[in-house]
Each structure stands twice: as C-alpha cells, then as structure tokens.
Amino acid sequence: MPFLRGRLLGNGYSDNAKKQLEWLLDELERFYERVSCCGRVEEKHMRAIRSFHRDIVSVIYLERA
C-alpha cells in the first residue's frame, strides 16, 4: 500500500483531492486487513475493489478536468 499511496499523493494534486485520496486509501487499507483475515476472496470483495477503483479514478479524473 505505501507504493500506491506515494504514487497517488506525490503527484501534485490539489489539497482537496489529496484529502479524498488519503481517505480512500485509508479505507482501502482497512478493507484489505478485513479481507486478509477471511482467508478467501469472495465476489463481494471483488465488487468492493472495483468500487474503490472507480472512486480513486473519479477523484483523479475530476482533478485533471
């Protein structure tokens, strides 16, 4: 997770975008910890990952618009 955090937050985005990305990355990290305790990845976990992806991409896209 540190690599992703460093790449996203070190890219010169606005303070608002950085706060949103930090929050999303914190939530993603907590999600990862919960899933890793389960011992298996289910379809609902994959849907959640896709949701995180959409949210992160939307913050980046809106920042560049």
Side-chain angles (χ1 to χ4, degrees), residues 31 42-52 54:
F31 172 76
E42 299 176 9
E43 180 59 32
K44 65 181 180 180
H45 299 134
M46 296 305 295
R47 286 192 303 269
I49 291 293
R50 286 190 288 272
S51 178
F52 277 111
R54 279 190 306 268

Side-chain angles (χ1 to χ4, degrees), residues 1-62:
M1 210 63 71
F3 172 77
L4 183 59
R5 187 176 295 275
R7 293 293 287 177
L8 287 175
L9 298 179
N11 243 348
Y13 296 119
S14 69
D15 288 339
N16 185 40
K18 282 183 182 180
K19 286 178 187 177
Q20 290 178 21
L21 288 171
E22 283 178 343
W23 183 82
L24 283 166
L25 291 170
D26 289 343
E27 289 296 309
L28 179 59
E29 192 167 1
R30 282 190 281 279
F31 172 76
Y32 173 79
E33 290 169 2
R34 285 193 311 271
V35 171
S36 66
C37 292
C38 293
R40 64 180 179 183
V41 177
E42 299 176 9
E43 180 59 32
K44 65 181 180 180
H45 299 134
M46 296 305 295
R47 286 192 303 269
I49 291 293
R50 286 190 288 272
S51 178
F52 277 111
H53 177 263
R54 279 190 306 268
D55 292 346
I56 290 170
V57 168
S58 70
V59 170
I60 292 169
Y61 177 77
L62 290 174

